[in-house]
Amino acid sequence: MYLVETNVVSEARKGRKANAGVSGWFATVDDGGLYLPVQTVGELRQGVERLRLRGDAPQASLLEGWLNQIVVDYADRILVFDDECAQVWGKLLAKNPHNAIDKQIAAIALIHDLTVVTRNVDDFAGTGVRLMNPFE
């Protein structure tokens, strides 16, 4: 089972223009085994709001519709950052304080025994999580 990071979900949104590795990977996995960390929802929301702030309301609206659909599609598969995750996160940060949000995602993956699917494998180095980079 997999914890899908923001850059992979965002790439899949491109449809036929998406990276072939990402498209191929999504085609081979069962949707029921895909989870999103709640941080991905926040990062996608940040993207919507940045578009809105720079005055691109049409693109913000388009992206917001997609985000809302993601939240519906993954409703029971969005994993939260709870107190158990916070304990693991604190241990991971003590070793390496860089990429704090990625360390939160790593903690969620460790607690739920999931493989993190991301392009940014270096950001998860030393966390002990299993990693998959479908971009390769």
Side-chain angles (χ1 to χ4, degrees):
M1 295 199 299
Y2 303 96
L3 189 62
V4 184
E5 230 250 294
T6 307
N7 52 57
V8 177
V9 172
S10 295
E11 185 68 22
R13 179 182 173 273
K14 296 177 183 176
R16 290 186 303 196
K17 294 181 181 179
N19 174 278
V22 172
S23 297
W25 179 76
F26 270 108
T28 65
V29 295
D30 174 25
D31 287 353
L34 301 178
Y35 294 84
L36 294 180
V38 71
Q39 290 82 353
T40 289
V41 175
E43 289 177 339
L44 293 173
R45 170 54 64 185
Q46 179 185 26
V48 169
E49 297 309 321
R50 281 184 174 169
L51 286 168
R52 193 167 280 129
L53 286 171
R54 74 175 193 215
D56 192 349
Q59 187 63 24
S61 243
L62 190 66
L63 189 59
E64 186 168 41
W66 172 74
L67 169 58
N68 290 339
Q69 189 60 51
I70 289 287
V71 170
V72 168
D73 291 348
Y74 284 86
D76 59 343
R77 294 175 289 131
I78 296 174
L79 300 178
V80 299
F81 185 78
D82 61 13
D83 60 325
E84 187 177 11
C85 292
Q87 295 284 345
V88 172
W89 177 59
K91 290 177 184 178
L92 295 175
L93 278 180
K95 295 176 194 172
N96 179 351
H98 302 290
N99 306 309
I101 291 176
D102 290 332
K103 299 289 189 307
Q104 289 179 356
I105 293 168
I108 292 170
L110 289 167
I111 294 296
H112 295 279
D113 194 29
L114 300 171
T115 299
V116 175
V117 183
T118 183
R119 174 181 237 159
N120 303 329
V121 293
D122 291 346
D123 294 346
F124 292 86
T127 63
V129 297
R130 291 183 309 274
L131 296 167
M132 173 191 270
N133 181 355
F135 289 88
E136 292 183 334

